């Protein structure tokens, strides 16, 4: 598994950064609106951890499917998607059993994947601007 992560895709890192930004904002807002409930805090942390696991699973699934023939890749992707959906439902069910605020936190944490996907282009643009700014700065000092 370490071989897969030797050269991490920058988009994956930007997606995880977006999830972190969303997680901090959602966690803070949720703690204020829930009156500082530890059930919510546990739920949002569990949901964010689960979201990271889902993102990494999607990344590895796509990476593996690229090396399969089209029919096998399609079957493989469908199986892995179903596994992720079943695990998400199980995590939500566990959250309901614990407390309704835990369930809310888990759902908000998992939905962070969607928000992170929307934040990724913005993060990419900021990172690209910084890199190009540094390169221009270095080139101007060399001349």
């Amino acid at each position: 598994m370490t071989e897969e992560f030797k050269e991490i895709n920058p988009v994956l890192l930007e997606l995880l950064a977006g999830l972190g930004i969303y997680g901090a904002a959602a966690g803070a807002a949720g703690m204020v609106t829930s009156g500082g409930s530890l059930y919510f805090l546990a739920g949002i942390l569990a949901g964010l951890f689960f979201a990271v696991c889902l993102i990494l699973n999607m990344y590895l699934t796509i990476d593996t499917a690229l090396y399969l023939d089209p029919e096998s890749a399609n079957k493989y992707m469908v199986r892995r998607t179903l596994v992720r959906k079943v695990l998400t439902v199980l995590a939500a069910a566990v959250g309901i059993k614990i407390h309704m605020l835990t369930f809310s936190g888990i759902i908000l944490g998992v939905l962070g994947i969607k928000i992170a996907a929307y934040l990724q282009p913005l993060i990419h643009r900021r990172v690209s601007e910084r890199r190009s700014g540094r390169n221009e700065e270095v080139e101007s000092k060399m001349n």
Side-chain angles (χ1 to χ4, degrees):
M1 189 155 155
T2 56
E3 291 177 10
E4 288 93 4
F5 291 110
K6 275 188 178 176
E7 193 173 307
I8 297 178
N9 190 329
V11 174
L12 176 64
L13 292 176
E14 293 162 358
L15 193 62
L16 293 173
L19 186 63
I21 292 167
Y22 164 77
M31 288 302 287
V32 168
T33 58
S34 72
S37 171
L38 292 180
Y39 286 112
F40 179 80
L41 181 61
I44 195 85
L45 291 175
L48 290 170
F49 174 76
F50 192 62
V52 168
C53 292
L54 291 174
I55 288 171
L56 293 175
N57 182 271
M58 285 185 256
Y59 174 75
L60 294 174
T61 298
I62 292 169
D63 189 52
T64 301
L66 289 173
Y67 298 102
L68 300 174
D69 63 277
E71 188 176 324
S72 297
N74 187 37
K75 289 178 183 177
Y76 178 72
M77 293 290 288
V78 168
R79 277 194 322 266
R80 296 295 291 251
T81 300
L82 289 174
V83 167
R84 282 192 302 273
K85 288 183 181 193
V86 167
L87 290 175
T88 303
V89 169
L90 287 175
V94 167
I96 288 174
K97 288 287 187 187
I98 295 171
H99 195 275
M100 204 57 189
L101 284 174
T102 305
F103 168 73
S104 300
I106 289 172
I107 295 301
L108 285 174
V110 172
L111 287 177
I113 295 172
K114 302 291 185 188
I115 304 301
Y118 287 118
L119 289 176
Q120 186 274 329
L122 300 172
I123 293 170
H124 178 74
R125 194 173 315 123
R126 294 288 294 191
V127 169
S128 296
E129 286 172 0
R130 283 191 178 170
R131 284 185 186 152
S132 66
R134 287 183 185 161
N135 290 341
E136 291 169 7
E137 198 175 295
V138 169
E139 287 176 11
S140 67
K141 287 182 181 180
M142 292 177 77
N143 292 331

